[in-house]
Amino acid sequence: MRILVTGAAGFIGSHVVEALWAAGHEVTGLDLRAGDGHVVGDVRDADLLARLLRRVDAVVHQAAKVGLGVGVLDLPHYTSVNVQGTAVLLAAMAEHGVRRLVLASSMVVYGEGAYECPRHGLIRPGPRAPEDLARLSFEPCCPRCGAELSPVAIDEDARPDPRNVYATTKLAQEHLAANWARETGGTLVSLRYHNVYGPRMPRDTPYSGVAAIFRSALEAGRAPRVFEDGRQRRDFVHVRDVARANLAALEAGTAPGTPTTCNVASGEPHTVGEMAAALAGAHGGPAPVTTGEYRLGDVRHIIAAPDRATRELGFRAKIGFVEGMREFAVEPQA
């Protein structure tokens, strides 16, 4: 298959390119950053896309402005890159008859995760109150009765609740791609990545994941600083498994004109504190420090139900938490 990968020089995109090459596909990469083996350019450049798509059977769309977005002033740039860029790409695909797309989305479209109340069943709580966070009360409560909630895995049918600029643009990408699939009869798989980590993860930038931030601290001889009480639950999935998920999505026999959305996750949730401890242990210390600090807008728990990806794509993560964190702790950072 001849495949265009946008964002090919990025953290995830570079691993996707390698997975596609290893599977025997012909890959053309596109990225804003200069580097070997890909075209340098902007996904918003319709003329460039017209040239690249003439010999392409499928697109894997990884290019995006990442990070959460700091505030309202970030709206124009995030929407330009993520929303307008995706719209230009989809229009070019429609014009040139490219009918297969894998879209990189994110678990951030869910907002807070799913919970169960002992009295009221499945609950999706709203944002946590600043006054609760200030008194170090981190767990969301049932909005109907105030009872303690138990976090449960969230599946793809859950109502989206994006809570920052980045999340809103990722959901917009999903909607635009779904419009494209229905109107063109194209095949679409949107992959909602959970907390991705692994080799080439960017360091010391506003867009670094918490795993990279912890590792940078350890390399500098500092203790990782864990916010809240360290018991926030996440699903940490290795970047090579994410690349395999993209390959599986390309090769799956999903139905034309019917968008498919899948969580990409390990299926083995861990706390942020456990992740910090695993990295510190593999690195040889120092031990993490739990600070009680918090950020308004952060979600407490978000864990994934990975079953649809297994059922629809034949994908299951292979790299375990201990193995992956041990490798990540000692590998040189990008």
Side-chain angles (χ1 to χ4, degrees), residues 12 61-62 64-68 82 103-111 154 156 160-162 164 166-174 190-196 237 242 261-264 302 304:
I12 297 174
H61 185 31
Q62 303 286 324
K65 172 77 172 174
V66 298
L68 302 181
N82 296 354
L103 172 69
S105 187
S106 172
M107 57 90 172
V108 296
V109 303
Y110 293 122
I154 197 163
E156 296 85 352
D161 184 18
N164 54 60
Y166 173 65
T168 300
T169 61
K170 296 308 286 185
L171 185 59
Q173 286 183 322
E174 288 191 17
S190 296
L191 299 176
R192 289 178 178 168
Y193 303 156
H194 284 251
N195 289 71
V196 186
V237 58
V242 173
T261 303
C262 294
N263 287 326
V264 176
I302 176 76

Side-chain angles (χ1 to χ4, degrees), residues 95-145:
E95 182 178 358
H96 295 281
V98 181
R99 296 291 183 262
R100 183 172 291 272
L101 173 65
V102 177
L103 172 69
S105 187
S106 172
M107 57 90 172
V108 296
V109 303
Y110 293 122
E112 188 65 71
Y115 297 79
E116 279 189 345
C117 171
R119 290 184 58 191
H120 297 109
L122 189 65
I123 293 289
R124 295 287 306 284
R128 293 175 293 174
E131 56 269 26
D132 290 338
L133 296 172
R135 59 186 176 86
L136 307 186
S137 178
F138 300 122
E139 295 288 348
C141 296
C142 177
R144 298 175 63 184
C145 68

